Amino acid sequence: MGLDLHCPITLLELLAQFNKGIWGSDEANTSPLKSSYTELTCQNHIEIDIEELTLTLKDTNIVIKKINNRSIVHELNHILKQLGKHYIFLTMGLTEKPYEIFVSVDEDSLQEPEPFGESSEPEVSSYYKFWGVYFESKEDAMIYDLENHKYIPADLDFYMTDED
């Protein structure tokens, strides 16, 4: 399942509300996404998962891809915390807001591909390594290294398959 949430606030407003506990948590200080997901799966007696979550804000889109089972449900609040921690770097020192943040860029896509049959299930920690960041002033996406707080040179190639 894909979710696209349209939020009539800016990235900075989202982070401010998240840090105050207004957005992203309820009275019990749990994630409303996690609570809603649990209720949905219980009522329907089927196992579903979120393949992609897009937060469409006034100034930025945040696209979060599934890494493994229920990774978005479990990690959304942690991802939002990381957005807050890296806001200065993601906005290039508050000089330019990205129009899209893609969480996460698979580290393997920055290296040589693994031989067939040797790939493994990505770990949730992959959410906190590399993000694709798109700016109006840049022709191509940039890759942000969360651990080192810097942008690294690399090509982000997204391939689309033809489905007939």
Side-chain angles (χ1 to χ4, degrees), residues 82-151:
Q82 291 301 310
L83 276 167
K85 283 176 64 174
H86 294 270
Y87 183 78
I88 296 287
F89 302 103
L90 290 168
T91 59
M92 296 203 175
L94 302 177
T95 61
E96 184 177 6
K97 283 187 187 166
Y99 68 85
E100 184 167 282
I101 301 170
F102 189 86
V103 179
S104 81
V105 173
D106 186 2
E107 190 173 359
D108 291 340
S109 68
L110 303 177
Q111 303 166 356
E112 291 296 316
E114 292 181 5
F116 183 74
E118 293 186 24
S119 63
S120 61
E121 181 84 10
E123 296 181 22
V124 172
S125 63
S126 296
Y127 277 136
Y128 312 108
K129 293 182 180 179
F130 302 103
W131 291 354
V133 184
Y134 296 82
F135 294 97
E136 293 289 337
S137 66
K138 308 286 185 206
E139 187 173 319
D140 295 321
M142 299 181 67
I143 297 173
Y144 177 68
D145 177 347
L146 279 78
E147 185 176 321
N148 296 304
H149 307 285
K150 66 180 185 178
Y151 288 94

Side-chain angles (χ1 to χ4, degrees), residues 1 20 28 43 49 54 57 73 94 104 108 132 141 144 155:
M1 157 173 60
K20 291 178 185 175
Q43 286 183 6
D49 206 351
T54 301
L57 308 173
V73 171
L94 302 177
S104 81
D108 291 340
Y144 177 68
D155 287 331

